[in-house]
Amino acid sequence: TGATSAIQPLADEADGLSRDIQRLEREIVEHRQPAEELNEDLRKYLGHGELQLAIKDTGYSITRNGETAQMLSEGEMTAIALLYFLKSLEDRGFDKANGVVVLDDPVSSLDANALYAVFGFIRERAQSAAQVIILTHSFAFFRQVRNWFHHMKGQNKKDVALRPARFYML
């Protein structure tokens, strides 16, 4: 009986460790797929696969050609932040069908080519949100958004209050 009573705490500890391993493996899997998707988005956005998100603990690290990235350009930082934000719209904790998405000047410091890529990502990822608010200083980007909203179903109703989109220029 002494040996049996000594085994039980060890069996309990082994069960606890097994549960911890399963939890950690689930977390890794949950981080791996979004990292792979974000890396694909970064490749499409930047036009190269130099920058990558690598899983680190319960988050990510940014690498350039397999090494920890040291100096990111403003455009690279904007790309990573925007793509990460757009990816977070798909998170289980966000109810996109009833949610409000606010983007504050997502094209600052980007060239004209990147502007169109950003617009494509935003349109694809935010279109099913209940409300989208986009603030910008770029008239070229504003025109892209305006054209997107202008062609929305119901946007040509005579009663402006019944239209799904509004545009404001200050």
Side-chain angles (χ1 to χ4, degrees):
T1 60
T4 304
S5 62
I7 291 174
Q8 191 57 47
L10 295 173
D12 292 344
E13 183 179 353
D15 288 344
L17 290 172
S18 180
R19 283 191 300 274
D20 287 346
I21 289 169
Q22 289 175 351
R23 179 185 53 80
L24 290 170
E25 286 175 344
R26 273 194 313 273
E27 287 177 6
I28 288 170
V29 168
E30 287 177 8
H31 278 75
R32 185 176 317 284
Q33 183 179 356
E36 290 170 358
E37 292 169 359
L38 281 166
N39 286 334
E40 180 62 19
D41 288 348
L42 272 171
R43 189 191 61 70
K44 288 176 186 174
Y45 182 103
L46 297 172
H48 58 76
E50 208 175 280
L51 285 180
Q52 297 276 305
L53 294 175
I55 298 168
K56 184 174 181 180
D57 301 324
T58 58
Y60 305 105
S61 67
I62 301 169
T63 63
R64 184 186 306 278
N65 297 321
E67 301 290 325
T68 300
Q70 297 298 321
M71 300 290 286
L72 296 175
S73 71
E74 197 171 327
E76 290 170 334
M77 288 187 283
T78 298
I80 292 167
L82 176 66
L83 293 173
Y84 185 83
F85 172 76
L86 292 173
K87 185 71 182 155
S88 73
L89 297 179
E90 299 168 17
D91 189 87
R92 286 177 275 171
F94 181 68
D95 179 9
K96 194 181 337 181
N98 295 306
V100 177
V101 176
V102 179
L103 295 155
D104 185 5
D105 210 8
V107 296
S108 66
S109 75
L110 298 179
D111 62 28
N113 291 334
L115 181 143
Y116 295 107
V118 167
F119 172 73
F121 278 106
I122 291 171
R123 183 176 177 173
E124 176 187 333
R125 308 278 165 80
Q127 70 182 346
S128 61
Q131 186 172 21
V132 178
I133 299 170
I134 300 175
L135 310 164
T136 186
H137 294 279
S138 167
F139 192 71
F141 186 69
F142 171 77
R143 283 195 315 264
Q144 292 296 312
V145 173
R146 182 189 62 198
N147 289 341
W148 167 30
F149 287 175
H150 180 73
H151 292 97
M152 291 176 79
K153 184 178 178 181
Q155 191 61 24
N156 61 354
K157 293 182 179 180
K158 289 190 186 265
D159 185 352
V160 175
L162 298 177
R163 295 179 185 175
R166 305 284 191 289
F167 310 96
Y168 302 96
M169 281 183 48
L170 303 175

